[in-house]
């Protein structure tokens, strides 16, 4: 069988697979449901509007067969009358035709929903493959469709036989009934037979609808390999994602480096860490970190700071604490207010001295950095952490 490969499809279809199938015009459909709803609507419409339809068609027929001398010899009048009769027939059929058209448009909502896909109109030469066509002829789905067609024919035929045979005597009696009564009786029998036969199609539709949904879901199932491949396509190639992340980091680093010249001071470790701080007089909130980095990035920050003559303070504990507990463009933690305030006071006094205003300030020797804020302090250490690397004593670099 052509569908034997489906035995390997154990994974439920992903939303992406279902969406892709829908874009290609592949959705669950049931012809039996569409046929039943349209036929039932037609029967119900004839039942409701049949009297009016017969009356208007009779009047139109009587009008069409009644011609006076002027109409016969005047083509313009005759054509106008023919146009009026055709318009009356169309108006008489409009309620029934409109109801059938409306239900035909709404019936897809019962299963599959509305769908318009341009891909469905594109030529697919794979469908002309004779080998694949022969395989489809002997597939499990073709066998099921054949059995379904036979069962539907037997069911509808049996219902039609029972209904017709049940009205056999009444049908023979129509010959002796008056014209009007016989016509009404015949219409009643036709309507009854129609509803019973269409009701049999309703039973078929109730079975076919769930089956089509089950068959479609089973067809859309994926193999484990297809699921893995889809996840790779959705998540992207790991190498490409790594390259993108690297580019994003470089772009973020570039933006961060642009902020270094605006800093008031750069706190260093002296070689491993560098954190640039900025505080504008009158601004709300605490000083902010405008740039930070370790190793090569820290070296670049120090290089830019020296190029733009930014004051640099060598304070290992404070640099480590700021790097660990503060992100870019974020205010410093409250526990570091005192230490940073002492650093900024020294920087402002140093600026004043260079302008010739005041004495040379004393360099901060011991900054109030809480032990729990310093990643290299034993008070900060957690079980399993590597021992802290010894650093040089605090000092000032200008």
């Amino acid at each position: 069988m052509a569908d034997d490969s489906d035995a390997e499809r154990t994974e439920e279809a992903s939303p992406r697979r279902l969406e892709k199938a829908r874009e290609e015009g592949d959705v669950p459909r049931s012809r039996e449901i569409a046929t039943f709803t349209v036929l039932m609507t037609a029967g119900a419409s004839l039942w409701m509007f049949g009297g009016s339809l017969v009356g208007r068609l009779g009047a139109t027929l009587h009008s069409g067969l009644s011609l006076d001398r002027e109409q016969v010899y005047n083509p313009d009048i005759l054509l106008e009358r023919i146009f009026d009769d055709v318009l009356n027939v169309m108006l008489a059929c409009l309620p029934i035709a409109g109801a059938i058209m409306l239900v035909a448009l709404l019936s897809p909502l019962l299963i599959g929903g509305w769908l318009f896909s341009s891909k469905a109109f594109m030529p697919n030469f794979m469908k002309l493959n004779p080998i694949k066509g022969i395989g489809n002829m002997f597939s499990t789905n073709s066998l099921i469709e054949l059995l379904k067609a036979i069962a539907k024919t037997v069911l509808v035929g049996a219902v039609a036989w029972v209904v017709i045979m049940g009205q056999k005597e009444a049908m023979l009696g129509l010959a002796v009934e008056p014209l009007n009564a016989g016509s009404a009786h015949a219409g009643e029998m036709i309507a009854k037979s129609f509803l019973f036969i269409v009701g049999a199609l309703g039973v078929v539709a109730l079975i076919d609808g769930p089956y089509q949904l089950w068959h479609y879901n089973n067809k859309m199932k994926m193999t484990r390999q297809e699921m893995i491949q889809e996840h790779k396509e959705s998540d992207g190639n790991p190498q490409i994602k790594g390259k993108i992340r690297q580019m994003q980091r470089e772009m973020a680093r570039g933006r961060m480096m642009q902020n270094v010249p605006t800093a008031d001071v750069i706190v260093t470790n002296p070689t491993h860490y560098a954190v640039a701080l900025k505080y504008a007089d009158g601004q709300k909130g605490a000083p902010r970190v405008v740039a930070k980095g370790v190793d090569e990035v820290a070296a670049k920050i120090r290089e830019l700071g020296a190029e733009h003559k930014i004051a640099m303070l060598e304070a290992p504990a404070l640099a480590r604490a700021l790097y660990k507990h503060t992100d870019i463009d974020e205010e410093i933690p409250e526990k570091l207010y005192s230490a940073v305030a002492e650093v900024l006071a020294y920087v402002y006094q140093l600026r004043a001295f260079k302008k010739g205003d005041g004495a040379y300030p004393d360099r901060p020797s011991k900054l109030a950095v809480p032990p729990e804020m310093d990643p290299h302090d034993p008070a900060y250490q957690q079980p399993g952490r590597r021992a802290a690397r010894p650093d040089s004593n605090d000092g000032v670099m200008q």
Side-chain angles (χ1 to χ4, degrees):
M1 294 293 180
D3 292 343
D4 288 344
S5 61
D6 290 347
E8 302 177 2
R9 300 181 182 274
T10 57
E11 307 296 327
E12 293 296 330
S14 64
R16 184 184 178 192
R17 181 179 176 89
L18 295 175
E19 182 64 26
K20 185 177 180 181
R22 189 172 184 86
E23 290 176 357
E24 295 176 353
D26 187 5
V27 295
R29 288 291 187 220
S30 174
R31 290 191 297 268
E32 311 304 334
I33 291 179
T35 301
F36 168 72
T37 53
V38 170
L39 289 177
M40 184 59 72
T41 301
S45 299
L46 284 172
W47 185 274
M48 291 186 293
F49 304 110
S52 174
L53 175 63
V54 171
R56 296 189 66 171
L57 291 179
T60 303
L61 179 62
H62 181 271
S63 174
L65 297 177
S66 301
L67 300 174
D68 55 29
R69 182 180 179 85
E70 183 181 3
Q71 293 173 347
V72 172
Y73 290 99
N74 191 334
D76 294 336
I77 297 178
L78 183 61
L79 289 175
E80 183 179 351
R81 181 170 177 179
I82 292 175
F83 177 80
D84 291 340
D85 290 341
V86 172
L87 181 61
N88 288 332
V89 171
M90 293 177 61
L91 292 176
C93 297
L94 183 61
I96 299 176
I100 295 174
M101 184 177 297
L102 179 63
V103 171
L105 291 174
L106 295 178
S107 60
L109 296 177
L110 297 175
I111 177 172
W114 281 329
L115 176 67
F116 178 81
S117 174
S118 58
K119 293 184 179 180
F121 295 96
M122 300 299 292
N124 186 359
F125 296 102
M126 288 300 296
K127 294 182 179 180
L128 302 179
N129 188 343
I131 298 177
K132 186 176 181 181
I134 294 174
N136 291 333
M137 289 176 59
F138 296 97
S139 66
T140 303
N141 186 53
S142 297
L143 178 60
I144 292 175
E145 289 295 327
L146 176 61
L147 294 176
K148 187 175 67 175
I150 294 174
K152 181 173 67 173
T153 302
V154 171
L155 177 61
V156 174
V159 171
W161 173 263
V162 171
V163 172
I164 292 174
M165 294 306 296
Q167 300 183 104
K168 179 181 177 181
E169 298 297 331
M171 291 172 62
L172 295 175
L174 291 175
V176 297
E177 292 185 15
L179 179 60
N180 292 336
S183 299
H185 192 190
E188 182 181 347
M189 287 190 295
I190 292 173
K192 181 179 179 181
S193 302
F194 180 85
L195 291 177
F196 273 103
I197 295 173
V198 173
L201 289 178
V203 175
V204 175
L206 287 176
I207 298 174
D208 186 65
Y211 166 75
Q212 293 297 339
L213 289 174
W214 172 84
H215 174 70
Y216 179 80
N217 291 331
N218 194 55
K219 181 180 69 172
M220 288 291 105
K221 282 185 176 181
M222 308 169 66
T223 63
R224 186 68 179 172
Q225 184 60 35
E226 288 175 336
M227 184 69 73
I228 294 174
Q229 183 64 28
E230 183 178 283
H231 281 309
K232 286 183 178 180
E233 294 176 357
S234 299
D235 297 338
N237 189 300
Q239 296 179 349
I240 296 177
K241 290 180 64 178
K243 187 67 175 179
I244 293 175
R245 284 195 295 267
Q246 180 182 355
M247 293 176 61
Q248 291 174 339
R249 286 194 297 268
E250 292 176 354
M251 292 173 63
R253 184 183 303 171
R255 291 192 297 268
M256 180 183 71
M257 292 302 179
Q258 294 176 359
N259 295 328
V260 173
T262 67
D264 293 313
V265 64
I266 298 175
V267 183
T268 67
N269 194 31
T271 57
H272 295 291
Y273 292 86
V275 180
L277 299 174
K278 179 178 179 60
Y279 181 75
D281 291 336
Q283 76 172 20
K284 295 182 179 180
R288 293 180 176 272
V289 172
V290 295
K292 69 174 185 176
V294 295
D295 298 331
E296 294 180 0
V297 178
K300 184 64 175 178
I301 292 175
R302 292 193 300 271
E303 180 183 342
L304 287 174
E307 181 181 343
H308 292 85
K309 298 181 181 180
I310 306 298
M312 284 185 278
L313 176 68
E314 188 176 308
L318 179 59
R320 292 191 297 264
L322 289 170
Y323 182 88
K324 180 68 177 180
H325 300 287
T326 313
D327 289 329
I328 302 298
D329 199 32
E330 186 176 276
E331 293 183 359
I332 64 173
E334 186 176 352
K335 292 183 179 182
L336 298 178
Y337 280 3
S338 177
V340 173
E342 190 173 350
V343 170
L344 291 175
Y346 167 76
V347 171
Y348 294 151
Q349 292 173 7
L350 186 61
R351 289 178 182 174
F353 169 76
K354 290 181 178 181
K355 294 178 180 179
D357 185 10
Y360 188 88
D362 295 331
R363 299 174 181 178
S365 57
K366 289 188 178 293
L367 298 175
V369 179
E372 65 273 12
M373 300 290 288
D374 182 4
H376 287 183
D377 194 284
Y380 183 86
Q381 292 288 327
Q382 298 179 4
R385 283 183 176 267
R386 187 177 59 181
R389 178 177 61 248
D391 290 294
S392 61
N393 295 330
D394 292 351
V396 176
M397 296 179 56
Q398 298 184 30

